[in-house]
Amino acid sequence: MADLQSKVTQLTSQIEGQLTTMVDEIEKQKLRPMGRNMHSCIVSCYDKIGKSGRKEQIEQCAQNCQMPYQQAGQVTQQEIGNFQNRLQNGMMQCQNDAQAMVTPDMQGDEKKMRQVENNLFKCIEGAVGKSKAELGPMRQRIESRMVVAGGSNGGGGGGSGEEKGWVG
């Protein structure tokens, strides 16, 4: 059983590493530029409204600037959470299936229990493999909702989220 746990730990470490790498890439390639645009946009709010406008106008403009970045972060976290739930549910189903295969007479039969463990591992391996295959589509879903605004328009004065880099 310890060998099984070691193999499962190795599998889960691999998928966690791949997920972490993907999230780091999204953060560097998409979220950081969106964060920069957000701050530039907020500075633009102060430049445009600062001395003559009302405090509420600046706050509303800044809030509009922050929205795309916040929404992108929320979508990313939601996708990661859904991914982790699907993986966990798949692994739990494997454990439930393995437990359902065990009968009282098998408890003392090492060969039969080893077969149950082998089936459990194959099932978990399949669940992890399925999750690995889901990483690419998940990344596409996340990135399709983000558009880093091109050019250097210096932000904006409270326009729509789409102008600031968010689609959706």
Side-chain angles (χ1 to χ4, degrees):
M1 191 69 159
D3 187 41
L4 174 66
Q5 286 179 321
S6 172
K7 289 178 182 179
V8 170
T9 299
Q10 187 177 11
L11 280 176
T12 56
S13 293
Q14 287 174 0
I15 189 77
E16 287 172 6
Q18 290 174 344
L19 177 63
T20 299
T21 298
M22 184 197 75
V23 171
D24 286 348
E25 289 171 357
I26 289 172
E27 196 270 333
K28 289 174 184 171
Q29 296 170 5
K30 299 291 183 179
L31 291 174
R32 285 184 190 178
M34 288 180 81
R36 185 186 184 292
N37 288 346
M38 172 189 70
H39 289 288
S40 177
C41 177
I42 291 170
V43 168
S44 179
C45 293
Y46 281 89
D47 290 345
K48 290 179 181 178
I49 302 170
K51 293 186 180 185
S52 61
R54 294 186 340 263
K55 176 183 173 186
E56 293 80 16
Q57 289 175 301
I58 293 175
E59 289 172 354
Q60 182 63 48
C61 180
Q63 194 173 35
N64 289 343
C65 293
Q66 294 171 12
M67 197 175 306
Y69 182 78
Q70 289 171 347
Q71 288 175 334
Q74 289 170 354
V75 164
T76 302
Q77 290 305 312
Q78 181 180 16
E79 285 285 348
I80 291 168
N82 291 343
F83 173 84
Q84 290 172 328
N85 286 338
R86 286 190 303 273
L87 175 59
Q88 185 178 20
N89 290 341
M91 292 175 70
M92 288 295 291
Q93 185 62 51
C94 292
Q95 287 196 340
N96 291 340
D97 292 348
Q99 287 174 353
M101 291 188 329
V102 176
T103 60
D105 64 313
M106 294 174 75
Q107 300 278 336
D109 189 335
E110 194 174 314
K111 183 178 177 184
K112 288 182 180 180
M113 289 306 291
R114 197 171 316 118
Q115 182 61 40
V116 170
E117 285 182 11
N118 287 341
N119 289 342
L120 173 59
F121 181 72
K122 286 178 187 174
C123 181
I124 290 173
E125 198 172 33
V128 170
K130 182 178 177 187
S131 292
K132 285 180 182 180
E134 292 174 358
L135 285 172
M138 179 176 75
R139 181 179 186 147
Q140 290 174 353
R141 283 191 305 275
I142 292 169
E143 290 182 347
S144 72
R145 308 266 323 262
M146 297 179 200
V147 177
V148 178
S152 58
N153 62 359
S160 73
E162 196 168 329
E163 293 173 41
K164 309 285 188 307
W166 179 254
V167 177

